Amino acid sequence: MNPAVVRLLEELELTPLLAADAATPLEELQIDSLRTLELVACFETEFGVEVPDELLVALVDAGDLLRFLDVRSDSATS
Amino acid sequence: MGAAAVGNAAGSIVVPDLVSRRCELRPVQLSDIELIAGWETGGENLVRWRLHGSTPSPDGVRSEIWNGVLAQFVVVSRRSGSPAGLVSLYNPSFVHGHAYVGALQSPDFGRSALTLEGLMLLVDHAFRCWTFRKLYAEVLSFNLAQFASGIGRVFTVEGTKREHFFYDGAYWDEHLLALTRGTWEGDGLTRLRAVLGMASARQGIVRAA
């Protein structure tokens, strides 16, 4: 995982995501609409990327979100 | 009398642009009625939103949609240009300084939280244009989980109607959430308003008297 993503998750108090089983629904991790909104806005600001709406709609579980953050952050910094 | 009532020396004002990071608001038009009726009755919204299972006629939707409304906007994605939801400011009390807000998301936009971002734009607009002290939202308990992380940080639960609403064999609570001007403009939400690109963060805040 990109260290900058880990730092961002720590800042937003979302580190339980890192330890969760990939199939854990985001709701069980208390990642609700408001948390999603904050995470996406901070992620876009940090990495200078724009996240298409349709990618967010498809996120269901911890694995989806972690893969999404990893891939998008790598594409932003490479 | 405070700065809001006086304005600046040049007499100019800063007009909020109703645009944030990912969305913008545009006033509801008659041509939006069919779209909104589709959202109200589509997917989970049919029972989660105000109709609670009923399906009014298109004329019924048209006659009800502006009842008690002070300001109402379609939330539009800036990325795709697609309408994503509806946000409303309604039942204002200018004597007591409060109003209600509500939001309806298109079933197509699920987890995008785009309509929630639009709702925050509406809150920003409401506190800028009127002297409201706080804004309320009535939320059924089975909808609260969608933004429960905001309890205590963004809004408070000021009251609960116990077993107020029937659905699917059970009676559900309805909560009254409140967001004060002080919380919205306070330090705790500075970063959130900034990263979302709220006008109050980009253009500055003029506090009410």
Side-chain angles (χ1 to χ4, degrees):
Chain A
M1 177 62 65
N2 185 325
V5 172
V6 175
R7 276 197 303 276
L8 181 62
L9 293 174
E10 287 170 350
E11 278 181 35
L12 296 174
E13 299 177 356
L14 292 174
T15 47
L17 178 65
L18 295 167
D21 183 87
T24 306
L26 293 173
E27 287 74 16
E28 285 186 20
L29 297 166
Q30 281 76 52
I31 300 179
D32 56 14
S33 293
L34 184 57
R35 283 292 191 196
T36 302
L37 183 64
E38 292 175 292
L39 176 58
V40 170
C42 292
F43 181 79
E44 289 190 341
T45 302
E46 177 75 22
F47 293 97
V49 297
E50 286 195 353
V51 180
D53 304 327
E54 58 270 21
L55 286 183
L56 296 176
V57 171
L59 299 178
V60 174
D61 56 34
D64 290 339
L65 183 52
L66 286 172
R67 274 191 301 277
F68 164 80
L69 294 172
D70 212 21
V71 170
R72 298 294 291 191
S73 61
D74 279 351
S75 67
T77 52
S78 61
Chain B
M1 186 173 289
V6 173
N8 63 29
S12 63
I13 61 169
V14 178
V15 178
D17 51 20
L18 297 177
V19 172
S20 65
R21 170 177 286 276
R22 295 187 302 150
C23 69
E24 60 188 3
L25 304 183
R26 65 165 171 78
V28 174
Q29 320 245 328
L30 273 177
S31 56
D32 294 316
I33 296 297
E34 192 173 335
L35 181 69
I36 293 168
W39 291 340
E40 285 186 319
T41 55
E44 295 184 353
N45 286 342
L46 177 61
V47 292
R48 284 190 184 277
W49 212 57
R50 67 183 181 92
L51 296 178
H52 302 316
S54 64
T55 57
S57 68
D59 282 347
V61 173
R62 183 183 308 187
S63 64
E64 293 289 322
I65 197 77
W66 277 285
N67 268 357
V69 165
L70 178 62
Q72 188 160 239
F73 301 92
V74 172
V75 180
V76 178
S77 166
R78 296 178 64 195
R79 309 272 163 88
S80 67
S82 300
L86 174 74
V87 291
S88 306
L89 178 67
Y90 64 99
N91 289 355
S93 169
F94 296 105
V95 172
H96 301 295
H98 56 70
Y100 288 75
V101 295
L104 168 69
Q105 179 157 279
S106 161
D108 298 335
F109 277 80
R111 180 166 274 285
S112 71
L114 209 60
T115 301
L116 184 58
E117 186 169 323
L119 184 62
M120 293 195 171
L121 264 176
L122 178 69
V123 166
D124 213 50
H125 179 65
F127 282 136
R128 188 154 217 164
C129 291
W130 295 281
T131 56
F132 296 130
R133 296 176 300 121
K134 60 179 165 180
L135 300 175
Y136 293 120
E138 293 173 318
V139 179
L140 289 167
S141 54
F142 55 67
N143 287 331
L144 187 59
Q146 296 174 36
F147 36 85
S149 66
I151 296 173
R153 289 192 306 136
V154 181
F155 51 81
T156 56
V157 180
E158 289 206 342
T160 298
K161 295 177 187 171
R162 299 290 178 199
E163 299 182 350
H164 177 70
F165 177 80
F166 176 82
Y167 176 66
D168 199 21
Y171 285 93
W172 302 80
D173 294 348
E174 183 178 85
H175 305 292
L176 182 67
L177 312 183
L179 168 59
T180 66
R181 177 184 291 272
T183 299
W184 182 249
E185 296 178 353
D187 294 342
L189 295 184
T190 298
R191 182 183 185 189
L192 180 61
R193 289 190 294 106
V195 294
L196 291 179
M198 296 286 115
S200 61
R202 285 181 286 110
Q203 302 174 321
I205 287 174
V206 178
R207 292 182 188 279

